[in-house]
């Protein structure tokens, strides 16, 4: 969104610790004697070995671990990685594997799509963790894969194993430097996108791209956005909370062919190029007349335009604009660039002050270096609209926005038309954005994925965690699907995408709990998005991650509960939550029920003074639904805090 001056505030000081540990191991190849000929027969099937890269980003009390596993031996159909944490560390939410911890020993077992690892094939997994004490205890120093110690080479004796392909045809295998958010589902040409984490590029560096846009050139997607200095600060130490440093370091450019593995192409523009001051809401288009790629951004109180001969080149400032004709306040508020099927580009925006008027304006066709007089397509009577984005599907135009909530999460509001700049419908809430306020984001960008087998739209939500303090991760991308002209937002923590085919599916590691960290609501409330609460329940300032947690408490004896009813595929699940408790309740439980079998509970009525993860495993869902939650029958003054719920399929 555009930033007013009253958001400029302190800048936190942090320190990042990043460590890499790599190891690999060998095991002997068996040699057998043929009984008839008494000759040695080589056995290639016994070759084993592995290599592991373990990278951490730590802050006060917490860390994210990114793990890349490479099988150097014979092909595997399933695997378990084992390692020991140095001390005082606890595994929290994980992705792309099922994690379990006993003391400091941790095991990570494959899930359905990444169990098969051919020779030299890799997969990436990861988890968020916590630690006690003032200093990060350190990384594991040894790893095993299916019991084989990883030290780096494969011992094959005198045998020479037959060459084995590294994976299914068309599949991608991330390298050790690939993003912790990226894995490749076996048997597909796609990749797995993990939300609710900080994304990394193909070199292992954090991706900084907020308030931007995506342009497809050939088979490659180019992603442009702002790198704010406050985003770096928050990444290095999320526990310090939000900051107000909206000064810009650069407009960045990344490229990808699969929408998951992003290569850093460089800085498209720097403050020296834009003229200094605040810059945001960046869009990109290719002008067919000049052959130039044109970047448009808000800069200070107006617009700046940059051009380049290539999508990944350096953009040179080519024009500025201080007013847009026909706009009530003379200039755009939040904006994005939309390119129609015929190549014509438009600016979609609300007015600068108040933001209740929505506009579409054509970019000057000859060069895209001027915004033409705008057309007022809608006026909101329910308050301002910002984070404006525009996309098209099956001949229908969609103009979507968020509430005027500053850096915070919001419902997504849309209007539709069969024409780009007229005839728009009444406003409606985008289905799927109500229960967790658009996956705890604000409308940021949108683009179509058209492939050989299908098409859908990617909704790119900006989670302004650096300026709102609302959890982990800046970019939360989810698929939109359509029933006729009615779009649906799929709030997923993990999903598989095949960009070439234009298809997607729910990831095996998806968390089915919505608003699991209760960060969507932004403010103190007793009615949290996505949850059904009794009396004596509210959100609490102070969470395991982010700003908030669920609190059950009262100054008199009470009963209380908070729950979600969830529709999901049949299968086996694990329910987890991070808990603090005063203890002393008559009863208090994390529970799962109404899933086709008897209720399962985990007691939390004992004193739990620091955040502790509790879990219920082996929940076998047979009726396609479940209710999960916490409940208490308590004395006056007893309390429970709960945060970071997860419900993940394990089988």
């Amino acid at each position: 969104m555009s930033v007013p001056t009253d958001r400029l505030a302190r800048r936190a000081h942090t320190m990042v610790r990043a460590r890499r540990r790599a190891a690999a191991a060998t095991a002997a190849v068996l040699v057998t004697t043929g009984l008839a000929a008494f000759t040695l027969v080589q056995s290639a099937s016994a070759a084993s070995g592995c290599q592991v890269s373990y990278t951490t980003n730590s802050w006060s009390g917490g860390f994210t671990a990114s793990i890349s596993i490479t099988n150097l031996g014979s092909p595997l159909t399933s695997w378990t990685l084992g390692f020991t944490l140095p001390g005082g560390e606890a595994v929290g939410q994980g992705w792309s594997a099922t994690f379990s911890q006993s003391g400091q020993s941790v095991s990570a077992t494959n899930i359905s799509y990444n169990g098969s690892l051919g020779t030299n094939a890799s997969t990436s997994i990861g988890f968020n963790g916590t630690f006690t004490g003032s200093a990060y205890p350190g990384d594991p120093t040894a790893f095993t894969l299916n019991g084989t110690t990883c030290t780096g080479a494969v011992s094959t004796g005198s045998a020479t194993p037959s060459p084995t392909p590294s994976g299914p045809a068309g599949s991608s295998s991330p390298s050790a430097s690939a993003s912790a958010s990226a894995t490749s589902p076996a048997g597909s040409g796609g990749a797995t996108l993990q939300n609710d984490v900080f994304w990394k590029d193909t070199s292992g560096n954090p991706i900084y791209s907020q308030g931007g846009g995506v342009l497809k050139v050939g088979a490659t997607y180019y992603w442009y956005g702002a790198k704010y200095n406050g985003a770096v600060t928050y990444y290095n130490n999320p526990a310090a909370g939000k900051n107000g440093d909206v000064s810009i370091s650069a407009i960045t450019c990344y490229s990808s062919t699969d929408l998951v593995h992003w290569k850093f192409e460089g800085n498209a523009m720097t403050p020296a190029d834009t003229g200094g001051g605040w810059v945001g809401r960046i869009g990109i288009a290719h002008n067919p007349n000049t052959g130039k790629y044109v970047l448009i951004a808000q800069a200070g109180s107006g617009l700046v335009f940059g051009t380049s001969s290539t999508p990944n080149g350096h953009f040179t400032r080519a024009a500025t604009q201080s007013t847009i004709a026909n706009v009530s306040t003379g200039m755009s508020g939040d904006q994005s660039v939309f390119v129609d099927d015929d190549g014509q580009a438009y600016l979609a925006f609300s007015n600068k002050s108040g933001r209740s008027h929505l506009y579409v304006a054509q970019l000057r066709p000859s060069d895209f270096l001027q915004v033409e007089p705008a057309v007022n397509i809608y006026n909101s009577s329910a308050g301002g609209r910002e984070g404006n984005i525009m996309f098209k599907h099956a001949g229908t135009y969609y103009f979507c926005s968020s509430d005027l909530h500053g850096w915070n999460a919001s419902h997504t509001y849309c209007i539709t038309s069969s024409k780009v700049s007229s005839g728009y419908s009444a406003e409606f809430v985008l289905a799927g954005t109500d229960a967790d306020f658009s996956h705890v984001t604000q409308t940021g960008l949108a683009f179509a994925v058209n492939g050989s087998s299908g098409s859908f739209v990617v909704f790119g939500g900006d989670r302004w965690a650096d300026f709102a303090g609302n959890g982990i991760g800046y970019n939360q991308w989810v698929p939109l699907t359509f029933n006729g002209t009615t779009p649906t937002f799929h709030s997923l923590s993990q999903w598989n995408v095949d960009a070439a085919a234009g298809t997607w599916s729910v990831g095996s590691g998806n968390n089915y709990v919505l608003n699991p960290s209760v960060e969507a609501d932004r403010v103190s409330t007793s009615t949290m998005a996505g949850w059904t609460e009794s009396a004596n329940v509210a959100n609490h300032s102070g969470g395991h991650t982010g700003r908030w947690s669920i609190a059950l408490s009262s100054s008199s004896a009470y009963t209380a509960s908070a729950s979600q009813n969830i529709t999901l595929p049949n299968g086996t699940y694990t329910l987890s939550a991070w808990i603090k408790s005063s203890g002393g309740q008559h009863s208090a439980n994390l529970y799962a029920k109404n899933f086709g079998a008897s209720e399962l509970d985990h007691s939390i009525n004992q004193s739990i003074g620091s955040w502790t993860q509790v879990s219920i495993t082996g929940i076998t869902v047979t009726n396609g639904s479940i209710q999960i939650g916490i409940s208490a029958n308590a004395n006056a003054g007893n309390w429970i805090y709960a945060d970071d719920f997860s419900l993940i399929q394990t089988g």
Side-chain angles (χ1 to χ4, degrees):
M1 63 161 295
S2 301
V3 58
T5 56
D6 61 5
R7 291 207 184 101
L8 301 176
R10 63 181 177 80
R11 181 177 181 182
H13 298 281
T14 60
M15 176 174 64
V16 62
R17 298 179 177 90
R19 293 173 170 81
R20 295 183 180 271
R21 299 287 185 268
T26 64
V29 171
L30 300 178
V31 179
T32 60
T33 302
L35 296 179
F38 297 97
T39 58
L40 294 178
V41 179
Q42 297 174 341
S43 173
S45 63
S48 59
C50 47
Q51 179 172 308
V52 175
S53 173
Y54 185 101
T55 305
T56 56
N57 174 57
S58 65
W59 56 89
S60 177
F63 66 99
T64 295
S66 304
I67 309 169
S68 178
I69 307 165
T70 302
N71 173 37
L72 301 177
S74 299
L76 301 176
T77 57
S78 64
W79 51 264
T80 297
L81 180 74
F83 56 91
T84 300
L85 296 170
E89 295 160 294
V91 174
Q93 181 180 6
W95 50 91
S96 302
T98 299
F99 287 85
S100 62
Q101 182 173 0
S102 177
Q104 294 306 114
S105 298
V106 177
S107 65
T109 302
N110 69 273
I111 50 182
S112 60
Y113 66 77
N114 62 359
S116 296
L117 279 181
T119 303
N120 296 322
S122 299
T123 191
S124 294
I125 64 176
F127 66 92
N128 292 323
T130 59
F131 61 86
T132 57
S134 59
Y136 173 65
D139 298 337
T141 57
F143 301 87
T144 61
L145 187 66
N146 288 356
T148 297
T149 302
C150 297
T151 60
V154 180
S155 174
T156 60
S158 60
T160 304
S162 301
T164 304
S166 61
S171 68
S172 58
S173 298
S175 67
S177 62
S179 167
S181 64
T183 59
S184 298
S188 79
T192 299
L193 189 149
Q194 180 71 46
N195 285 320
D196 306 307
V197 297
F198 290 113
W199 291 0
K200 294 184 178 180
D201 63 22
T202 54
S203 295
N205 298 314
I207 290 177
Y208 293 111
S209 185
Q210 295 174 271
V214 171
L215 179 70
K216 187 179 182 184
V217 180
T220 301
Y221 294 85
Y222 291 90
W223 177 20
Y224 307 81
K227 178 182 180 181
Y228 294 111
N229 291 314
V232 180
T233 300
Y234 185 86
Y235 170 85
N236 288 336
N237 188 7
K242 63 180 180 178
N243 65 80
D245 185 2
V246 297
S247 62
I248 188 166
S249 171
I251 296 173
T252 56
C253 175
Y254 297 88
S255 67
S256 176
T257 56
D258 65 7
L259 300 177
V260 173
H261 302 91
W262 291 93
K263 175 187 175 183
F264 178 55
E265 295 286 353
N267 293 329
M269 298 184 81
T270 66
D273 302 311
T274 61
W278 186 83
V279 174
R281 292 303 179 189
I282 298 138
I284 189 74
H286 178 257
N287 185 272
N289 295 313
T290 63
K292 296 286 188 179
Y293 293 88
V294 181
L295 186 151
I296 305 101
Q298 291 180 329
S301 59
L303 304 175
V304 64
F305 300 78
T307 61
S308 174
S309 297
T310 61
N312 58 350
H314 187 79
F315 284 72
T316 302
R317 184 169 57 174
T320 60
Q321 188 170 344
S322 59
T323 61
I324 301 174
N326 296 343
V327 177
S328 61
T329 55
M331 182 44 65
S332 64
D334 282 2
Q335 64 182 40
S336 65
V337 171
F338 165 71
V339 180
D340 209 345
D341 299 336
D342 60 2
Q344 176 60 49
Y346 298 84
L347 198 68
F349 62 96
S350 55
N351 59 302
K352 184 175 182 180
S353 300
R355 305 192 183 183
S356 60
H357 303 293
L358 306 183
Y359 298 89
V360 171
Q362 183 176 255
L363 300 186
R364 186 168 61 200
S366 62
D367 56 11
F368 292 171
L369 295 179
Q370 177 79 14
V371 181
E372 303 271 69
V375 177
N376 181 202
I377 61 168
Y378 188 82
N379 295 323
S380 171
S381 60
R385 295 287 178 253
E386 58 183 359
N388 306 288
I389 61 174
M390 194 171 184
F391 55 91
K392 185 179 183 181
H393 181 78
T396 297
Y397 297 90
Y398 299 81
F399 188 115
C400 299
S401 311
S402 74
D403 277 309
L404 187 60
H405 278 165
W407 303 112
N408 286 300
S410 168
H411 298 90
T412 296
Y413 304 91
C414 297
I415 54 177
T416 66
S417 178
S418 60
K419 299 178 181 178
V420 68
S421 58
S422 65
Y424 278 85
S425 70
E427 188 177 72
F428 60 91
V429 175
L430 176 60
T433 67
D434 183 62
D436 60 359
F437 292 176
S438 311
H439 205 81
V440 194
T441 71
Q442 180 190 54
T443 40
L445 58 84
F447 59 93
V449 178
N450 299 312
S452 58
S453 301
S455 64
F456 64 96
V457 169
V458 172
F459 176 104
D462 273 318
R463 180 178 293 173
W464 298 97
D466 40 349
F467 307 136
N470 55 356
I472 303 299
Y474 295 134
N475 310 106
Q476 316 297 325
W477 289 13
V478 303
L480 301 183
T481 56
F482 300 83
N483 181 8
T485 60
T486 302
T488 297
F489 177 104
H490 298 272
S491 185
L492 302 171
S493 67
Q494 187 191 85
W495 54 291
N496 310 316
V497 55
D498 189 329
T503 58
W504 67 273
S505 62
V506 177
S508 297
N510 179 60
N511 180 7
Y512 284 88
V513 180
L514 297 179
N515 196 16
S517 305
V518 291
E519 297 296 332
D521 300 282
R522 311 173 308 279
V523 296
S524 179
T525 181
S526 60
T527 54
M528 293 161 287
W531 293 87
T532 299
E533 311 91 347
S534 69
N536 306 308
V537 178
N539 60 358
H540 168 74
S541 180
H544 173 248
T545 59
R547 299 175 61 193
W548 303 98
S549 59
I550 294 177
L552 280 60
S553 65
S554 178
S555 59
S556 57
Y558 70 96
T559 59
S561 66
S563 64
Q564 285 192 22
N565 293 310
I566 300 169
T567 300
L568 73 178
N570 289 337
T572 304
Y573 291 81
T574 294
L575 171 66
S576 300
W578 288 83
I579 301 293
K580 294 174 75 173
S581 174
S582 65
Q585 298 90 348
H586 300 297
S587 64
N589 292 294
L590 174 72
Y591 72 85
K593 66 180 183 179
N594 302 339
F595 54 86
S598 299
E599 178 175 333
L600 297 175
D601 301 295
H602 190 298
S603 177
I604 52 176
N605 68 342
Q606 65 272 32
S607 177
I608 306 174
S610 59
W611 286 109
T612 301
Q613 188 179 44
V614 299
S615 299
I616 301 173
T617 60
I619 306 169
T620 302
V621 176
T622 59
N623 61 358
S625 63
I626 190 173
Q627 183 183 110
I628 62 95
I630 54 172
S631 63
N633 180 356
N635 300 303
N638 292 161
W639 52 264
I640 295 171
Y641 301 142
D643 199 11
D644 293 339
F645 290 77
S646 66
L647 180 66
I648 296 176
Q649 188 170 9
T650 57

